[in-house]
């Protein structure tokens, strides 16, 4: 039996402490709700929040994390740049990262995409229909061709993400927009999965299909390797190099 | 006749001022040599260096730049984060960016790739043979299937770049390594082109084919559009939204 | 002034001759309507149909075609395999190909994608809203962020296309589906652009934005180069090869 | 314990029967050598050859195949088109396909790429050094950063493959060329892995690292799902469609 996957669920944990309606939906915080719903024998789950020292993401915690889940919205710029750099380095070394919903504007999402993460949005609680466009992807295992979330925030295209986004889910919104709702990336040795649903004002994280996708995502994000990039300086050639005459005129000169 | 392309060549300008052998090859700096060699009626070229106020990359200069060339090596971390963020935003708005050689470790290259930019390297002045693997790309126009640079620094795979890198050139090194030497990316509305050759200790920027590739690159990087991302909040739906009953039980509950 | 782009509009021309309602919308055939609407000084347009000898796509016609438009639906399997192979070879050599609507099940579309081209569909004449997700692409020049087609056939995901499809347009359908409606591919030296709208039973090809997209597509598909793949056998090495001792034991043997 | 992976190794089996030097290296044929070397408890391996009825690839055999290996060279055009179509359909439904070496010119490889598969080649028995450029990919598990094959046929760029080729291995050839030697694609629900080494005149299929890569490839190609594309006609909308007034003038008319 393989070792359990070490999962850390990170939540900025702001709305739940400020808005009673959110607290009612998620009395233990979004992170608490997710930790409870995603619990499984092959997972070793812990949580971390913005308010903890080093946001709960010390080097030791990250080193012992195989897959990091990220939920943030109101406090993206309160996340310390040094912690973001630390998370990014862990992804480059192999750690999986699952960014949810409004995390599209988090520093870590933007830095790994290399884009602004921008999109259009509307918050009126409309129907979102999620379509699976790559049913053969492991993250789609057991997920139906489409499922409905009765009320959600709208995110609309254009969505500023990297060109190598492998899109697994696309959303149709009642109000007339479309969106690439679930996609994967690889950065360095690590993988990223972004999944759109999950607005704090709605019970989305109690939705069976949404939880199924997140559960699949965690398994798929498990690192294949976990190591730093190997030594970069290779002073000795592997094959013989002929003697050279380092003269400028040996190059096809344009401007002598 | 279309307006000229406004080009800014940025150079950290360190080696030329510290090492006589480099100064001999590039007495006016790498930026000066490139400005001279790339001069053409359809280009309006200026230069900027690290040592100038705001590294010569004020908001006004960037706003008046269609395509920015970037050469850096010894002083990547002397480049101010705020200037890097400014350049990145300009790329997202449409500006083209041409990163050369050791710029693979520059902040701007890494932030737009979302990767570490790492690779293997060796500096013994060996033969580099550049292969064109996409002869139909505009950047390859007039470039032969392969050309040799008699002595260059070696860069070897694995090269940590984004998965959507569209590779145009691949290099063979005499000492036994291979490398993805020329590739494009799109980030936001802007394009990036990376081209590997260009070590300061060799006369690479006097090489006719190298200059040809750079000249093609500049034309291809010209912005198609140049604008900020449009307003993101769209409060009114485009299609009618049915009345909703916002009750938790309307969602398929897993953990009630 | 560059030479005009030589455009051939190919239409299977079946519905227009069999269904009066279609003939009413397109009295000169879909090809005739398109030829008229797309006419421009920089284009040299001819048409061809299934019923002509060699479907109007002789080697001479194809050799004199820079960009081929393709509309087919009811008669995909009446298209001769040899002609399809001829078109495919021309694309590999540089010719642009613009496949419209139901052409997603044409032999040429499937062979260039390497996929089945399958999708979901419904023909009730519902609203299609086309979203532009890459406004910086030349094919999107002058096209608004979204535009509506009041009644169209529905095509829904999953859409079986190649993974390197660069998506420019995505559609929202009134009945609840989403679709990747406009995308590009490169195959060999040639480019492909697929654009979904264009059902024969509706006046879609009289729609200003649809015509704008097609017009942009033609310009973007113009070949960068037009040539066969170069000679494949290269008997002489470019760099010296050391003498070899061709003995089996020189390879790390697993099964002796 | 999961069910074993059902593997079919297909070989055209021509060289071994015609050239004594090849028969000496592979007395049981390339397929026999591979079946022996790749044998493992989690694999159920059978072989098939061109000369058998239906090339040994009846519908029943393919339906009972999870992963198909393909080696062909001298007899690509002797492979029946109907069998190729059958294999292609199985890939679209989920079956994995591992194409080796000269299979780059097989019908099935070209049809799944949508390209000509062309490349440059030279057969003098030179050193090939295989570089792993994505060490985090499961196919690279346990494979060193580079390994040498002392004598092989050369394949050189440009290599005409699909743009979504995810490159895992790149080769350096002693004679001066580079090549994308190992890459994956997805087509429909199935995966493809191409691996370059494997010339019949050399003992490459006795090489430990080559066999390691093939072994990894088989495991990675195991189908995630195995099913036909679902029913395509969806006559009933999922969301309500407003009544329509099908009048031509409802569309923004360009040519009335």
């Amino acid at each position: 039996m393989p070792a359990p996957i070490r999962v850390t669920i990170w939540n900025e944990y702001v709305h739940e402490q400020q808005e009673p309606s959110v607290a009612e939906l998620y009395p233990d915080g979004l992170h608490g709700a997710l930790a409870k719903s995603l619990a499984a024998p092959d997972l070793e789950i812990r949580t971390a929040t913005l308010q903890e020292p080093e946001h709960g993401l010390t080097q030791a915690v990250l080193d012992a994390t195989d897959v990091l889940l990220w939920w943030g919205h109101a406090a993206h710029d309160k996340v310390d740049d040094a912690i973001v750099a630390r998370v990014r380095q862990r992804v480059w070394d192999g750690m999986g990262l699952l960014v949810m919903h409004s995390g599209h504007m988090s520093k870590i999402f933007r830095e790994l995409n290399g884009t602004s993460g921008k999109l259009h949005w509307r918050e009126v609680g409309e129907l979102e229909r999620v379509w699976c466009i790559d049913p053969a992807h492991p993250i789609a295992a057991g997920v139906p061709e489409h499922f409905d979330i009765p009320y959600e925030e709208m995110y609309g295209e254009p969505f500023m993400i990297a060109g190598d986004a492998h899109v697994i889910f696309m959303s149709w919104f009642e109000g007339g927009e479309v969106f690439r709702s679930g996609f994967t990336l690889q950065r360095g040795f690590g993988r990223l999965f972004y999944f759109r649903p999950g607005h704090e004002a709605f019970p989305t994280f109690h939705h069976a299909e949404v939880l199924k996708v997140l559960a699949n995502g965690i398994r798929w994000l498990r690192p294949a390797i976990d190591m730093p990039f190997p030594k970069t300086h290779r002073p000795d050639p592997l094959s013989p190099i002929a003697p050279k005459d380092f003269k400028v005129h040996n190059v096809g000169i344009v401007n002598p």
Side-chain angles (χ1 to χ4, degrees), chain A:
Chain A
M1 206 175 86
I5 305 175
R6 299 166 300 170
V7 178
T8 301
I9 303 176
W10 189 88
N11 180 17
E12 67 172 34
Y13 200 29
V14 170
H15 296 292
E16 301 94 321
Q17 304 193 64
Q18 293 180 346
E19 299 172 36
S21 65
V22 178
E24 193 183 352
L25 284 168
Y26 302 107
D28 302 318
L30 291 165
H31 55 293
L34 286 169
K36 187 175 163 195
S37 298
L38 295 169
D42 64 329
L43 302 184
E44 213 172 274
I45 301 181
R46 72 171 101 190
T47 63
T49 60
L50 179 68
Q51 297 78 15
E52 299 172 35
E54 303 188 39
H55 312 326
L57 299 174
T58 60
Q59 191 65 53
V61 165
L62 286 176
D63 285 347
T65 296
D66 294 314
V67 179
L68 177 67
L69 277 70
W70 192 275
W71 199 99
H73 181 208
H76 290 319
D77 51 14
K78 296 217 164 59
V79 180
D80 193 78
D81 284 348
I83 309 291
V84 174
R86 193 186 281 167
V87 171
R88 192 175 65 168
Q89 184 63 50
R90 276 292 295 144
V91 171
W92 291 346
D93 291 352
M95 185 183 74
L97 179 67
L98 203 170
V99 177
M100 293 171 280
H101 191 60
S102 41
H104 71 92
M105 287 300 283
S106 64
K107 292 176 181 176
I108 187 66
F109 180 88
R110 302 170 88 193
E111 290 196 7
L112 289 173
N113 273 273
T115 64
S116 69
K118 290 203 171 180
L119 48 77
H120 295 302
W121 59 279
R122 173 175 59 239
E123 192 187 349
V124 301
E126 64 202 272
L127 173 68
E128 172 176 15
R129 178 169 296 126
V130 180
W131 288 94
C132 175
I133 74 167
D134 182 9
H137 197 285
I139 292 182
V143 178
E145 200 170 69
H146 68 88
F147 62 88
D148 286 4
I149 305 174
Y151 18 77
E152 250 294 349
E153 185 180 14
M154 181 281 289
Y155 281 4
E157 294 278 347
F159 183 20
M160 295 290 98
I161 54 177
D164 49 338
H166 177 86
V167 181
I168 306 173
F169 301 104
M170 277 169 47
S171 288
W172 177 97
F173 287 94
E174 194 180 3
E177 281 87 356
V178 295
F179 194 71
R180 287 169 288 174
S181 275
F183 71 86
T184 65
L185 282 184
Q186 183 177 343
R187 287 292 178 264
F189 303 149
R191 295 168 163 187
L192 178 148
F193 174 49
Y194 172 78
F195 194 52
R196 195 215 79 82
H199 190 55
E200 74 280 357
F202 303 119
T204 303
F205 286 128
H206 295 298
H207 189 290
E209 302 297 356
V210 169
L211 291 169
K212 177 76 181 161
V213 170
L214 296 178
N216 286 345
I218 290 169
R219 272 72 178 187
W220 183 80
L221 288 166
R222 179 183 204 135
I225 56 174
D226 193 334
M227 63 175 204
F229 189 87
K231 192 170 172 303
T232 59
H233 190 202
R234 182 186 296 134
D236 298 316
L238 302 168
S239 293
I241 293 178
K244 295 284 176 300
D245 178 14
F246 289 88
K247 293 277 171 51
V248 168
H249 66 259
N250 282 356
V251 180
I253 297 294
V254 170
N255 294 298

